[in-house]
């Protein structure tokens, strides 16, 4: 069993193709690729933390997609999830639904999960990580990267926060473990 993370899947959201410059000709190709990548990476017993903004589809199509995804799914609510969460069947597909979560991993360290970036997240001085989404590849992500740079370079403080939006290069439209995120991000920087 492993823990996987991904944000901003935006199933069915055609505008996300252009907004993020997602490399798909159609939303159907986008959705099929995300589902295929997910199920190749995630086993049935793995836990996946979806950090918000799952789907733009109506409840019945969103339910169909979530049911097709491997693993035990945990939802960290995003700004585009609230309408879907009015549907009880949709809610029932998740092990838990919360706005914020702290997941201990080992040696007194853990991961702070939120749809939104939190520059001064809990335990950031103690080697914890923060995974978030919401900001896509935008000026807001650039702001968060600048904050991270300033904390590490100007103030000599750790700032282990990472955008795990599906469209981020080190995520590549695939749920990733923390170790994969760290390794892939390091290789690309």
């Amino acid at each position: 069993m492993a823990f996987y993370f991904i944000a901003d899947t935006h199933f069915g959201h055609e505008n996300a193709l252009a907004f993020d410059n997602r490399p798909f000709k159609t939303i159907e190709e986008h959705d099929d690729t995300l589902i295929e990548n997910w199920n190749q990476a995630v086993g049935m017993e793995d836990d996946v933390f979806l950090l918000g903004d799952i789907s733009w589809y109506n409840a019945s199509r969103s339910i169909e997609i979530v049911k097709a995804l491997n693993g035990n799914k945990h939802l960290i609510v995003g700004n585009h999830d609230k309408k879907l969460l009015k549907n009880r069947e949709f809610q029932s597909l998740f092990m838990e639904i919360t706005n914020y979560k702290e997941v201990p991993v080992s040696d007194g360290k853990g991961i702070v999960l939120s749809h939104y970036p939190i520059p001064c997240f809990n335990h950031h001085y103690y080697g914890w990580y923060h995974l978030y989404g919401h900001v896509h590849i935008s000026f807001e992500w650039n702001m968060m990267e600048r904050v991270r740079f300033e904390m590490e370079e100007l103030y000599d403080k750790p700032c282990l926060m990472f955008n795990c939006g599906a469209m981020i290069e080190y995520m590549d439209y695939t749920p990733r473990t923390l170790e994969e995120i760290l390794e892939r991000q390091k290789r690309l920087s």
Side-chain angles (χ1 to χ4, degrees):
M1 181 184 83
F3 288 165
Y4 287 85
F5 307 91
I6 193 166
D8 300 308
T9 51
H10 284 272
F11 288 106
H13 193 176
E14 290 187 41
N15 288 343
L17 298 180
F19 180 75
D20 292 328
N21 198 25
R22 295 184 184 208
F24 306 101
K25 289 184 174 72
T26 66
I27 197 62
E28 292 79 17
E29 179 188 355
H30 167 268
D31 296 350
D32 290 346
T33 300
L34 274 165
I35 293 167
E36 183 179 332
N37 289 357
W38 180 301
N39 289 337
Q40 284 180 0
V42 176
M44 295 305 287
E45 299 302 316
D46 293 328
D47 285 278
V48 183
F49 293 88
L50 287 123
L51 305 183
D53 290 1
I54 298 169
S55 178
W56 207 250
Y57 288 120
N58 63 25
S60 60
R61 179 68 178 122
S62 297
I63 289 166
E64 191 178 303
I65 288 172
V66 174
K67 282 182 175 180
L69 301 173
N70 288 348
N72 302 307
K73 293 163 280 289
H74 305 256
L75 177 60
I76 311 300
V77 178
N79 54 303
H80 293 296
D81 299 322
K82 291 171 180 63
K83 185 176 178 184
L84 289 171
L85 288 172
K86 293 178 181 176
N87 183 291
R88 288 187 191 268
E89 185 179 357
F90 183 79
Q91 290 176 20
S92 74
L93 301 175
F94 298 95
M95 304 296 290
E96 65 181 326
I97 298 171
T98 186
N99 291 309
Y100 173 94
K101 183 162 183 77
E102 294 182 7
V103 179
V105 287
S106 66
D107 301 329
K109 295 184 179 168
I111 308 167
V112 171
L113 303 174
S114 172
H115 178 63
Y116 308 98
I118 307 168
C120 299
F121 59 93
N122 196 22
H123 309 296
H124 70 100
Y125 287 134
Y126 303 105
W128 278 52
Y129 298 89
H130 171 39
L131 301 180
Y132 64 92
H134 185 64
V135 296
H136 295 249
I137 301 173
S138 69
F139 78 93
E140 293 173 316
W141 184 38
N142 291 336
M143 273 188 338
M144 293 305 98
E145 289 296 288
R146 180 71 187 177
V147 165
R148 189 159 68 103
F149 170 80
E150 288 180 5
M151 288 192 65
E152 292 176 346
E153 300 300 322
L154 299 180
Y155 302 112
D156 197 29
K157 302 292 182 198
C159 188
L160 302 170
M161 56 188 290
F162 300 95
N163 184 347
C164 63
M167 78 300 297
I168 301 299
E169 189 174 3
Y170 52 82
M171 296 300 294
D172 194 26
Y173 305 94
T174 306
R176 303 284 180 193
T177 65
L178 177 62
E179 295 75 17
E180 288 174 319
I181 292 168
L182 298 175
E183 177 59 34
R184 292 172 64 86
Q185 190 274 342
K186 185 177 177 182
R187 257 189 317 195
L188 294 169
S189 53

